[in-house]
Amino acid sequence: MGIRNFLIFAVLSIVVIVIVKSGNYFEGIDEAVNPPQVQAEATIQQPDNLEHKSDTKRKQPKGTIDVHDIVGKNLYFVEKLLGKCEESEEGNWKDVFGDGSEYKTVTCYFQNEKHSVMFHDGKAVRVRIGVPSDTFQFPDDAKEAMEYVGLTGIGKLEEVPTGVHTNKVDDFSIAEAGKWADYKGPYIQFVKVVFDERFR
């Protein structure tokens, strides 16, 4: 190749390069060959008042047992929370507030009868959780006792002969703070929660 041919080839190459660099027809080719520099560290901006959406409705329970962990569970899982079932009794529960149907149940007692759980078809439908004695005065501390076992959204409280009762909590139909009395006066001994309305 002569010098003349070489110069023509070089000039044509430069012209082609200029056209490719400036023309829209080849847009994007340069980025594919020579990608732009990426920042070494990406920064993510979040709003100042970011709220966690996990479960803002339900607070963590104040006590060691949350009734939400028992609802619908079988004996195996309940024993992991409450310890070994020390005593049990079979029975027939009549739905007196519903259609009068009868259901076979098994009630298990835990920690020297401090707690009890009623099972139907192998699932927990009703629970009674003992609270520390002399902690919750009757009837003033009924709501606090219910919150102690994880209940939220507690509705209107009504004093009944056996305790303080409500027909409304966030996740369940009925809850009751059970009354007990000794020489110091009345206090709340347990909180009973009905998971299934048939077992009121």
Side-chain angles (χ1 to χ4, degrees):
M1 178 185 296
I3 294 179
R4 183 175 171 204
N5 289 340
F6 177 78
L7 291 174
I8 292 172
F9 177 78
V11 169
L12 288 174
S13 296
I14 291 171
V15 169
V16 169
I17 290 171
V18 169
I19 291 172
V20 168
K21 287 277 189 187
S22 62
N24 289 334
Y25 181 77
F26 296 98
E27 187 174 280
I29 292 179
D30 185 55
E31 284 189 11
V33 177
N34 300 310
Q37 293 295 321
V38 180
Q39 287 182 340
E41 227 175 278
T43 56
I44 300 172
Q45 293 185 355
Q46 297 184 5
D48 295 334
N49 57 352
L50 185 67
E51 288 184 6
H52 295 287
K53 299 289 184 186
S54 57
D55 194 354
T56 54
K57 185 179 174 184
R58 199 179 128 212
K59 298 176 185 176
Q60 283 297 102
K62 297 176 184 175
T64 56
I65 298 169
D66 183 348
V67 293
H68 293 84
D69 296 332
I70 298 174
V71 59
K73 298 293 195 303
N74 62 26
L75 179 61
Y76 173 80
F77 287 103
V78 172
E79 284 187 328
K80 286 184 169 293
L81 293 170
L82 303 181
K84 186 90 174 139
C85 172
E86 299 165 344
E87 186 181 339
S88 65
E89 60 184 14
E90 295 183 10
N92 290 310
W93 184 272
K94 188 170 185 177
D95 182 6
V96 294
F97 296 101
D99 61 6
S101 299
E102 287 196 3
Y103 303 96
K104 289 189 177 301
T105 61
V106 176
T107 302
C108 290
Y109 298 91
F110 305 86
Q111 300 179 26
N112 199 23
E113 298 189 11
K114 180 178 180 182
H115 314 297
S116 69
V117 179
M118 179 184 285
F119 297 89
H120 170 64
D121 286 341
K123 294 182 178 179
V125 293
R126 180 183 172 107
V127 65
R128 190 190 76 207
I129 299 296
V131 297
S133 60
D134 301 333
T135 301
F136 302 104
Q137 297 303 305
F138 180 86
D140 299 339
D141 299 335
K143 184 177 179 184
E144 288 77 6
M146 292 177 182
E147 290 172 342
Y148 183 82
V149 299
L151 296 180
T152 60
I154 299 164
K156 182 180 177 183
L157 299 173
E158 177 187 358
E159 191 172 336
V160 295
T162 55
V164 176
H165 180 88
T166 180
N167 282 320
K168 165 73 173 71
V169 288
D170 268 350
D171 301 318
F172 312 119
S173 61
I174 294 166
E176 182 178 310
K179 177 181 179 181
W180 188 255
D182 61 14
Y183 67 94
K184 298 177 185 176
Y187 62 92
I188 293 167
Q189 183 186 35
F190 61 85
V191 175
K192 178 176 67 181
V193 184
V194 178
F195 302 146
D196 186 325
E197 289 191 2
R198 296 174 297 173
F199 298 89
R200 287 178 288 177

